[in-house]
C-alpha cells in the first residue's frame, strides 16, 4: 500500500491543523493508521493510531485531549485533527499503516513521505 500525507503548514500556537493520509494500492480498511512525528536529531515519536478492526484509538500522553485520529474507509484516508497546537508540536509528521495496533515505528511496514508542521509562538 502507498501512503500520501498532506495538510501540514505554519500555524500560530493555539491554532489547528488537520493532516490527511491517503492510501492507494491496498485494502485500506484492513490496515491500522498511525501517526508519528520527528524532529532533527531525535527518534521518530508515536503520536496516535486508529485500528483497522474496531476503530479503537490510542494516543501519546503529550497529545491526548488535543489531537484526534480518525479514518474514512470510503475515501481510503486517515486523519489527524490537531487542536491547541504548541510550539513543541513542530515536527515532520508521518503516517504509517499495517495490520497491527501498535505504537512502535519499527512495527509498521508502510509509510507516507511526511508533512511539515510548524507552530509559531
Amino acid at each position: 500500500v502507498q501512503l500520501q500525507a498532506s495538510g501540514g503548514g505554519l500555524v500560530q500556537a493555539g491554532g489547528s491543523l488537520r493532516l490527511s493520509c491517503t492510501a492507494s494500492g491496498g485494502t485500506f480498511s484492513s490496515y491500522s493508521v498511525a501517526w508519528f512525528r520527528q524532529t532533527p536529531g531525535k527518534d521518530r515519536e508515536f503520536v496516535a493510531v486508529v485500528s483497522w478492526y474496531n476503530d479503537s484509538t490510542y494516543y501519546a500522553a503529550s497529545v491526548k485531549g488535543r489531537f484526534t485520529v480518525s479514518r474514512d474507509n470510503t475515501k481510503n484516508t486517515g486523519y489527524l485533527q490537531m487542536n491547541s497546537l504548541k510550539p513543541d508540536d513542530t515536527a515532520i509528521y508521518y503516517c504509517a499503516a499495517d495490520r497491527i495496533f501498535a505504537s512502535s515505528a519499527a512495527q509498521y511496514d508502510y509509510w507516507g513521505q511526511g508533512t511539515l508542521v510548524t507552530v509559531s509562538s
Side-chain angles (χ1 to χ4, degrees):
V1 63
Q2 291 79 45
L3 303 176
Q4 178 77 32
S6 61
L10 174 64
V11 63
Q12 289 188 333
S16 299
L17 280 176
R18 188 178 78 160
L19 305 183
S20 298
C21 178
T22 302
S24 61
T27 306
F28 178 74
S29 59
S30 297
Y31 296 92
S32 293
V33 178
W35 292 91
F36 294 81
R37 64 188 182 186
Q38 191 169 25
T39 54
K42 294 189 176 181
D43 291 336
R44 202 162 289 190
E45 175 192 19
F46 169 76
V47 176
V49 59
V50 55
S51 77
W52 59 273
Y53 58 93
N54 64 358
D55 287 350
S56 294
T57 58
Y58 178 67
Y59 297 91
S62 58
V63 307
K64 194 170 185 179
R66 299 188 298 122
F67 291 10
T68 302
V69 63
S70 63
R71 63 189 301 146
D72 185 341
N73 290 339
T74 66
K75 297 181 178 180
N76 287 348
T77 301
Y79 302 100
L80 184 68
Q81 177 66 45
M82 305 186 295
N83 299 329
S84 302
L85 282 161
K86 306 174 182 180
D88 283 351
D89 295 318
T90 295
I92 298 174
Y93 283 71
Y94 297 89
C95 62
D98 217 318
R99 289 177 62 90
I100 56 173
F101 185 66
S103 59
S104 170
Q107 294 183 266
Y108 287 86
D109 283 339
Y110 305 105
W111 289 86
Q113 85 287 5
T115 184
L116 177 62
V117 172
T118 304
V119 184
S120 63
S121 58

